[in-house]
Amino acid sequence: LAQVYPVFRFPVVLAHMSRYNESWSPMPVAISEKEILTTAERVYGVTWDEIHSYKDKMQIPILPRQMSVENLNVSHFCEDPFSALDRCMEQGIRHENRLSPFARMQICKPHWVRFQRCLRYRDRSIMSDIQKWENKHVGRMSNGAKAEYFENLTRERSYHEYVAARTADEEKRKRHLLDAQHVLLRQQGLMTGSLASIIE
């Protein structure tokens, strides 16, 4: 790695040396790839794995089984911010060099920020549409079917929490935790909506 990545130099004083001794001089210290990456992640405020998971983050919240995408009243699904980030990442990969292997983290950070902002707005809009649709859908069920539907959501949420607790992949763990949070929001919407009467 010392042959691939730049050598950072700073003074290293040995026991028999002194800054007043003419024999003292800075010594080269090789910085490992992991140390360079850790520093870059701290400086840019985003991890290498996180910014490279942008394609997976395009996944929308999980819809109820009987609900179709046509029921969503969403103006866009963040295609434009995604395309801008995708172009930046692809260019970063093509122009990568050994002296600045993590440059795309800095160059593409503005696109990443806009993409993340768009996803948060998109997911809030989708969850609002899901809650409205689901309350109408469940409201037509019998009390027994309503209770069973709610229990199925509880099992779905438990599944995502179970997988999140046991996966080693940090981005997959975040995805399952987000899915579990979305299911919880759906349950809360039902508890204050079509299930309010049977809960009381």
Side-chain angles (χ1 to χ4, degrees), residues 60-61 119-128 178 182:
I60 66 173
L119 290 182
R120 287 192 293 270
Y121 176 80
R122 181 203 68 178
D123 288 357
R124 283 196 300 268
S125 299
I126 291 177
M127 290 307 302
S128 176
L178 182 61
H182 288 161

Side-chain angles (χ1 to χ4, degrees), residues 3-162:
Q3 296 176 352
V4 177
Y5 296 98
V7 174
F8 290 74
R9 298 174 180 273
F10 56 87
V12 177
V13 181
L14 302 181
H16 64 282
M17 293 184 178
S18 166
R19 68 177 61 196
Y20 305 108
N21 189 327
E22 293 182 358
S23 63
W24 179 89
S25 63
M27 298 178 61
V29 177
I31 305 299
S32 69
E33 177 185 8
K34 182 177 181 180
E35 289 173 311
I36 296 174
L37 177 57
T38 300
T39 300
E41 290 177 335
R42 184 172 63 251
V43 171
Y44 303 136
V46 60
T47 68
W48 180 261
D49 291 338
E50 187 177 19
I51 199 170
H52 283 81
S53 68
Y54 67 97
K55 293 182 179 179
D56 294 331
K57 293 184 182 297
M58 275 294 282
Q59 176 185 333
I60 66 173
I62 299 174
L63 303 180
R65 289 184 180 180
Q66 298 83 354
M67 184 180 181
S68 66
V69 179
E70 286 72 23
N71 295 119
L72 296 176
N73 186 29
V74 181
S75 57
H76 62 84
F77 292 90
C78 300
E79 295 93 339
D80 291 343
F82 171 84
S83 296
L85 177 58
D86 187 53
R87 286 193 300 271
C88 182
M89 295 292 287
E90 291 297 328
Q91 290 176 3
I93 293 172
R94 285 197 298 269
H95 296 93
E96 179 181 300
N97 62 75
R98 65 178 187 175
L99 296 180
S100 54
F102 309 119
R104 80 191 76 150
M105 294 178 68
Q106 177 184 14
I107 298 171
C108 301
K109 177 68 181 291
H111 296 292
W112 167 259
V113 171
R114 284 191 288 272
F115 179 58
Q116 287 292 96
R117 188 183 302 122
C118 183
L119 290 182
R120 287 192 293 270
Y121 176 80
R122 181 203 68 178
D123 288 357
R124 283 196 300 268
S125 299
I126 291 177
M127 290 307 302
S128 176
D129 288 342
I130 289 176
Q131 288 176 321
K132 292 176 183 176
W133 180 92
E134 202 162 34
N135 266 300
K136 292 181 181 178
H137 176 70
V138 176
R140 295 190 291 266
M141 298 179 179
S142 65
N143 285 349
K146 289 178 179 179
E148 183 179 358
Y149 189 94
F150 191 85
E151 184 60 30
N152 287 337
L153 288 179
T154 300
R155 283 194 288 268
E156 184 179 349
R157 177 162 55 91
S158 297
Y159 164 77
H160 289 299
E161 292 172 344
Y162 176 88

